[in-house]
């Protein structure tokens, strides 16, 4: 970590519910995260991890009710040559299920996209368990479209120049955040402040299989 961000980062400090917790294998915080939190007046807490999915899941559960960024061995800021090879901008993907509980997902994803100058993709999954003639399929698809339209409208109302793309996908939510996700940062809802704290299937799948850093934001209690 560069010296410019050292004043913001703590390792062994009293819990700060507003701080961003960075779970990483290396004793380092990505430069874009340091800059992002400095601009927002937000502290950063570094939480070392062994690098296994089980280790990350255990740490995330212990941080219930807080915003947690789980890093990968290839950091976002180091993957610029990959973007250039692909011929595209960095991409922040937000998995939006329900705006009543995923407002923080939308806010954090938008802010991260601003910091990274990235394209913002809002994604919602309609499970394949709905067959083409299943009762309820039309309603599920219509609801997903409404959720995405409202989410995009919220972003554009506060960030008029931001590029926003919506994707309604026919797959289960946990598949939406798996290894096939085309993202440089994946943002989704994490744990509520409750006892006992339990990490859902979608978040667990993201921590085990997503090929990019994962930002988990707390849902309302």
């Amino acid at each position: 970590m560069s010296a410019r961000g050292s004043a913001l980062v703590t390792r062994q400090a009293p819990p700060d519910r507003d701080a961003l917790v960075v779970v990483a294998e290396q004793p380092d915080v990505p430069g874009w995260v340091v800059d992002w939190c400095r601009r927002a007046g937000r502290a950063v807490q570094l939480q070392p991890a062994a690098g296994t999915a089980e280790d990350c899941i255990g740490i995330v559960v212990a941080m219930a009710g807080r915003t947690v960024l789980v890093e990968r061995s290839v950091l976002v800021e180091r993957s610029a040559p990959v973007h250039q090879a692909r011929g595209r901008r960095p991409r922040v993907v937000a998995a939006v299920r329900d705006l009543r509980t995923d407002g923080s997902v939308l806010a954090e994803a938008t802010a991260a996209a601003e910091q990274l100058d990235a394209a913002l993709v809002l994604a919602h999954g309609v499970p394949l368990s709905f067959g083409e003639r299943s009762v309820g399929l039309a309603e599920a698809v219509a609801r997903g479209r409404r959720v995405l339209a409202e989410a995009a409208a919220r972003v554009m109302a506060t960030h008029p120049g931001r590029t926003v793309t919506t994707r309604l996908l026919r797959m289960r939510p946990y598949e939406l955040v798996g290894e096939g996700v085309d993202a440089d940062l994946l943002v989704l809802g994490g744990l509520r402040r409750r006892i006992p704290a339990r990490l859902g299937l979608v978040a667990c799948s993201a921590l085990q299989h997503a090929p990019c850093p994962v930002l988990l934001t707390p849902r309302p209690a």
Side-chain angles (χ1 to χ4, degrees):
M1 180 188 65
S2 62
R4 58 195 175 96
S6 59
L8 276 174
V9 180
T10 61
R11 289 180 173 79
Q12 302 295 329
D16 180 350
R17 287 289 175 182
D18 296 323
L20 174 64
V21 179
V22 178
V23 180
E25 297 177 50
Q26 304 297 325
D28 212 359
V29 174
W32 75 269
V33 174
V34 173
D35 292 340
W36 180 28
C37 290
R38 178 188 288 111
R39 289 175 57 188
R42 185 184 203 177
V44 181
Q45 178 183 334
L46 180 62
Q47 180 66 52
T52 65
E54 291 76 13
D55 185 38
C56 288
I57 289 172
I59 291 173
V60 169
V61 169
M63 299 291 172
R66 304 180 65 184
T67 302
V68 181
L69 174 68
V70 179
E71 268 295 305
R72 294 297 188 225
S73 58
V74 179
L75 304 180
V76 171
E77 64 179 341
R78 294 178 186 170
S79 58
V82 176
H83 303 324
Q84 292 168 5
R86 292 178 181 173
R88 67 163 177 82
R89 295 169 65 190
R91 182 174 296 162
V92 174
V93 174
V96 182
R97 183 178 65 184
D98 187 335
L99 287 181
R100 292 175 299 178
T101 57
D102 285 343
S104 61
V105 171
L106 194 61
E108 295 282 11
T110 303
E114 285 284 310
Q115 179 63 39
L116 290 166
D117 190 24
L120 177 61
V121 180
L122 309 179
H124 180 90
V126 175
L128 286 172
S129 55
F130 282 108
E132 291 305 322
R133 298 184 180 180
S134 295
V135 174
L137 173 61
E139 290 81 358
V141 170
R143 177 185 176 278
R145 287 174 177 161
R146 287 195 301 271
V147 168
L148 291 174
E150 182 180 347
R154 286 192 189 184
V155 173
M156 290 185 286
T158 55
H159 299 77
R162 174 55 42 197
T163 299
V164 183
T165 304
T166 60
R167 296 191 66 192
L168 183 66
L169 302 171
R170 292 294 310 281
M171 58 178 58
R172 296 178 178 86
Y174 67 85
E175 295 172 328
L176 183 71
V177 299
E179 58 189 15
V181 66
D182 184 14
D184 300 285
L185 176 66
L186 174 63
V187 187
L188 64 151
L191 288 162
R192 294 176 173 87
R193 295 180 184 176
R194 63 184 180 187
I195 298 175
R198 294 178 181 176
L199 198 61
L201 178 60
V202 176
C204 282
S205 295
L207 294 179
Q208 292 173 325
H209 303 296
C212 61
V214 176
L215 182 64
L216 295 162
T217 73
R219 288 195 167 104

